[in-house]
Amino acid sequence: MSDEVLLEVKQLVKYFDVFSRGVFTRKKVGEVHAVDGVSFAIKRGETFGLVGESGCGKTTTAKVILNLEDATSGTVNFEGRDVFELLKSGKRSDILQIRRGMQMVFQNPYLSLDPRMTVFDILSEPFIIHGHIGRSDWTARVYELLTKVGLEPYHAERYPHEFSGGQRQRIAIARALAVEPKFIAADEPVSSLDVSIRAQILNLMMELQRDQKISYLYISHDLSSVRQISHRVAVMYLGEIVELANTDSLFEHPLHPYTQALISAIPIPDPETKRQRIILPGEVPSPLNPPPACRFHPRCPYAQEICRTVKPVFEQVDTDHFVACHFWKKFA
Amino acid sequence: MSQLTEEQTAPPKRVHRQRSATQWAVAWRRFKRNKSGVAGLAIVIAFVVFAIFGPLFAPYPPRSTESLLQGQAGQPPSWKHPFGTEINGIDVFSDSIWGARNDLWIGVAATAIATLIGLAVGALAGYSRGVIGGILLGIIQFFFVIPTLLLILLFSRVFQVLVYQGFGVNLIVLILGLFGWPGISFVIRGEIFRVRELEFIQAEKALGAGNLRILFRHIVPNVLTPVIVLASLLVAGNILTEVVLFFLGFGPANVATWGELIEEGVQYVSVYPWVALFPGLLVVTLVLGFNLLGDGLADALNPRLRE
């Protein structure tokens, strides 16, 4: 890991419009605030964890960064170049260059591979699109990719439905690696897998990072795996980042009440240890209509009047620790 | 030693293990276990063979009134005329064979045209968002509400000159093809809505694949199964439409089809019942065959019924 910034996300916003449909008209009746002003930077060779409950905008953040969804506003810089600008109006060669640099591994390996293609076709597809590998080298490269992710060359002639979930996720990782990317957004890559398979996939990802200096955006709601794999972690709540810190600092000294509640919910594999679970009251409010000021205030055990009226600043509290809470000093 | 280094430097050959079963092969295995589906396929194949090779053995040319001159009009079934003859001396057996050819041509060719148009329009309507998608949907809905049969009745009068020049059957093919596609388009459009949000399509986008590549190499192959089923049912529907058309007397004159025979037979059904009976049975059998085939395909291709 170096200090050089590879990917910089600035004030990313994604609202989904909600329409009511008449016979001939479509009237916009509201917006889902899926991602609301998210900023962070990922360094070369770093794993950046992004955690939060279901529906807090983690996946949308990743999809918007790769422009699989259009951003409402905000910018993403990859190696100093404006991703959205280039993908929208750049030359085909620029677009391909951006696409080669950033890849994504999806949550559900049962949906992320084309069921009508053999593994060989799936893995050589990137070679067709980018033309960076001559046709005569395809076989060698496909076998190399399969070996790299822990599969065998003869698997190339099979179809996705013949593999287990873990094997499919390996194929999905191999497809991402086929373009030699510098950055991979991994959207809950292990959450649909067996617990025994999870560690294998995470180890594979870490190995690849060591060998090829790949940066990851690792999205998960599973805090133990985030702790295991990430260098830095950001915590999201209702489309906003509420705390961002290096992994040790975040897990040892969580400053935001929401982070504290999340960490208190991690199961401890020791029946003797007494846990102090912080139970948050209520449900996550609707992102259609997020609460004003601090979005966490309706569920926060420490909420005061100021939390309902003034939005907390996302401030730096330590060398590598940021938090958005009026009362962080109370917890420091 | 030298052998070892050679192995290391030579480019690896593609491992030629047995290529594993494609989804189509799996579907075929499932289809074979379905008795009614296989029966449908057998009926369809039998009729196709009958249509292709039958004319070699047909005793008389189409619409030939030769038997009339031999005093053989209106004869019941016999060894000479297995399906009998009608009032003008036309041999029903011969014309049934020629009719099989015309009816299958109408059914299959019109379905091919309708399927291609339906696939293209449905795919574009499903994949384009915004105004273009809306316009295409409007076009599909417009064609969907046009009563095809009335149009054919209209066109076969309007283009009577063409019909007399022997274009009759192909006129029916064109009209059935050009107006029969909206049903297929609707299904394709819906299927594409489902498939285009799947993660493997997003993965393709992330790889930088162009829209045409995504649409035709990844989306369309994944929505083809319902099209195959619909197409086999559409063939049956088109054959029935042909019969109705001739039965109502709107068919081009002097073309040997089952519908024409049935129309003629019905006029004298109390005297010469065999004239309508045999072609009627053929229509029922073939349409049943296509329907059984379609049902069998629907079951075999349904991913939720995996063994």
Side-chain angles (χ1 to χ4, degrees):
Chain A
M1 190 175 118
S2 71
D3 277 344
E4 194 193 340
V5 169
L6 177 72
L7 180 95
E8 194 179 12
V9 178
K10 279 191 215 151
Q11 286 303 315
L12 200 65
V13 175
K14 174 68 185 175
Y15 294 163
F16 292 100
D17 293 341
V18 180
F19 295 100
S20 80
R21 284 198 71 151
V23 181
F24 295 110
T25 54
R26 246 155 60 103
K27 213 173 77 194
K28 190 172 149 184
V29 291
E31 298 164 326
V32 173
H33 297 230
V35 180
D36 215 344
V38 162
S39 303
F40 56 85
I42 301 179
K43 298 167 192 160
R44 262 183 216 281
E46 180 187 43
T47 301
F48 186 85
L50 191 57
V51 299
E53 286 166 270
S54 307
C56 73
K58 304 177 304 252
T59 302
T60 309
T61 304
K63 286 190 173 166
V64 171
I65 289 175
L66 275 100
N67 201 235
L68 301 178
E69 304 268 7
D70 286 327
T72 306
S73 69
T75 54
V76 172
N77 287 323
F78 181 72
E79 298 188 299
R81 311 211 303 168
D82 187 329
V83 172
F84 299 156
E85 188 59 39
L86 273 177
L87 287 180
K88 209 174 119 205
S89 48
K91 292 193 297 275
R92 181 79 183 143
S93 61
D94 287 329
I95 293 173
L96 287 178
Q97 204 186 349
I98 290 283
R99 290 301 190 195
R100 268 193 75 178
M102 312 162 73
Q103 280 300 305
M104 183 152 178
V105 172
F106 293 87
Q107 179 172 5
N108 188 342
Y110 290 86
L111 296 177
S112 65
L113 303 171
D114 189 333
R116 298 245 180 255
M117 286 186 149
T118 61
V119 171
F120 188 92
D121 292 335
I122 290 170
L123 294 183
S124 51
E125 184 85 359
F127 306 153
I128 301 174
I129 295 167
H130 292 275
H132 62 298
I133 307 286
R135 191 174 278 266
S136 54
D137 296 327
W138 284 6
T139 312
R141 287 309 296 268
V142 167
Y143 289 175
E144 191 191 321
L145 286 167
L146 285 172
T147 320
K148 206 182 270 175
V149 297
L151 295 170
E152 300 290 331
Y154 67 82
H155 286 134
E157 307 301 326
R158 295 197 180 167
Y159 285 84
H161 67 89
E162 298 172 71
F163 293 95
S164 68
Q167 286 174 315
R168 288 182 201 210
Q169 202 57 292
R170 288 172 191 269
I171 297 166
I173 292 173
R175 174 179 56 196
L177 292 177
V179 295
E180 297 148 20
K182 294 172 182 133
F183 166 75
I184 295 180
D187 179 16
E188 311 219 18
V190 296
S191 65
S192 62
L193 303 179
D194 240 37
V195 178
S196 55
I197 309 295
R198 288 184 186 181
Q200 294 177 13
I201 298 288
L202 291 179
N203 286 337
L204 171 66
M205 286 176 62
M206 292 201 280
E207 246 167 62
L208 292 168
Q209 183 167 59
R210 266 199 303 280
D211 297 346
Q212 304 183 24
K213 305 273 171 293
I214 299 173
S215 306
Y216 291 118
L217 171 64
Y218 178 73
I219 296 173
S220 183
H221 55 248
D222 171 20
L223 289 158
S224 335
S225 73
V226 169
R227 187 171 194 172
Q228 184 192 345
I229 194 174
S230 310
H231 299 104
R232 288 188 303 147
V233 179
V235 179
M236 262 183 106
Y237 184 78
L238 267 183
E240 293 180 338
I241 292 182
V242 294
E243 187 163 7
L244 191 164
N246 67 54
T247 309
D248 289 339
S249 162
L250 187 98
F251 281 89
E252 301 300 331
H253 312 288
L255 292 180
H256 196 282
Y258 180 62
T259 316
Q260 292 167 0
L262 282 184
I263 289 173
S264 82
I266 301 175
I268 302 164
D270 175 10
E272 302 292 313
T273 318
K274 275 244 169 69
R275 290 201 293 157
Q276 291 268 305
R277 274 273 331 246
I278 305 169
I279 308 286
L280 294 176
E283 297 283 321
V284 184
S286 160
L288 253 174
N289 216 338
C294 176
R295 288 194 175 172
F296 187 56
H297 81 253
R299 303 177 71 196
C300 182
Y302 313 104
Q304 310 272 325
E305 189 50 38
I306 186 173
C307 302
R308 292 177 192 96
T309 49
V310 182
K311 196 168 183 69
V313 188
F314 190 62
E315 56 186 318
Q316 184 160 19
V317 298
D318 203 343
T319 40
D320 207 1
H321 202 141
F322 300 78
V323 66
C325 177
H326 292 297
F327 300 106
W328 65 267
K329 288 199 184 75
K330 241 166 79 174
F331 313 116
Chain B
M1 271 315 272
S2 64
Q3 212 181 353
L4 193 75
T5 47
E6 203 175 275
E7 254 175 33
Q8 279 171 341
T9 51
K13 289 189 190 68
R14 196 152 167 188
V15 182
H16 278 292
R17 300 225 168 185
Q18 197 179 3
R19 211 177 161 87
S20 45
T22 65
Q23 291 205 321
W24 299 115
V26 174
W28 171 239
R29 264 207 309 271
R30 251 198 323 255
F31 181 81
K32 277 192 298 190
R33 283 204 297 267
N34 181 341
K35 287 201 187 72
S36 62
V38 172
L41 182 65
I43 292 173
V44 169
I45 289 176
F47 272 84
V48 170
V49 171
F50 185 51
I52 292 173
F53 299 106
L56 295 177
F57 311 107
Y60 300 91
R63 313 306 296 162
S64 160
T65 51
E66 212 174 296
S67 311
L68 182 67
L69 307 173
Q70 299 160 3
Q72 299 253 329
Q75 293 295 306
S78 63
W79 283 113
K80 187 153 187 253
H81 305 287
F83 290 177
T85 58
E86 49 96 88
I87 193 164
N88 297 315
I90 292 171
D91 180 55
V92 179
F93 181 68
S94 279
D95 255 34
S96 290
I97 293 177
W98 296 109
R101 185 170 258 210
N102 280 328
D103 277 69
L104 268 174
W105 170 248
I106 289 171
V108 173
T111 301
I113 295 173
T115 305
L116 284 179
I117 299 176
L119 202 56
V121 178
L124 290 174
Y127 196 61
S128 26
R129 291 165 193 261
V131 183
I132 299 174
I135 291 173
L136 285 167
L137 176 62
I139 292 174
I140 298 174
Q141 284 168 332
F142 175 74
F143 276 90
F144 195 69
V145 297
I146 293 179
T148 316
L149 190 62
L150 288 183
L151 263 187
I152 300 174
L153 300 183
L154 183 72
F155 277 97
S156 54
R157 284 286 182 264
V158 173
F159 295 108
Q160 223 159 16
V161 181
L162 278 179
V163 172
Y164 278 118
Q165 286 164 354
F167 195 64
V169 169
N170 288 334
L171 183 73
I172 296 174
V173 166
L174 273 182
I175 296 170
L176 283 178
L178 293 179
F179 293 93
W181 54 268
I184 288 177
S185 278
F186 268 127
V187 173
I188 293 288
R189 179 173 170 271
E191 279 288 289
I192 282 179
F193 274 141
R194 179 181 66 83
V195 172
R196 76 169 185 198
E197 300 301 332
L198 294 183
E199 292 181 340
F200 70 87
I201 299 300
Q202 302 218 321
E204 279 301 311
K205 269 185 210 157
L207 280 172
N211 276 331
L212 284 178
R213 181 174 191 82
I214 291 176
L215 182 56
F216 288 107
R217 192 158 159 74
H218 296 280
I219 296 183
V220 168
N222 279 289
V223 301
L224 276 184
T225 35
V227 177
I228 294 167
V229 176
L230 280 179
S232 84
L233 298 177
L234 190 59
V235 174
N238 282 338
I239 291 173
L240 281 178
T241 308
E242 175 277 321
V243 173
V244 169
L245 204 62
F246 279 80
F247 185 77
L248 294 176
F250 281 83
N254 270 331
V255 178
T257 67
W258 294 337
E260 179 72 15
L261 282 173
I262 292 171
E263 191 254 336
E264 288 164 3
V266 163
Q267 293 176 28
Y268 304 100
V269 72
S270 50
V271 200
Y272 315 123
W274 50 86
V275 182
L277 178 69
F278 289 106
L281 284 176
L282 292 177
V283 171
V284 171
T285 313
L286 182 57
V287 168
L288 180 74
F290 273 109
N291 277 301
L292 290 177
L293 176 64
D295 280 352
L297 287 175
D299 287 346
L301 295 171
N302 186 345
R304 270 170 294 228
L305 297 178
R306 270 285 146 75
E307 62 256 71

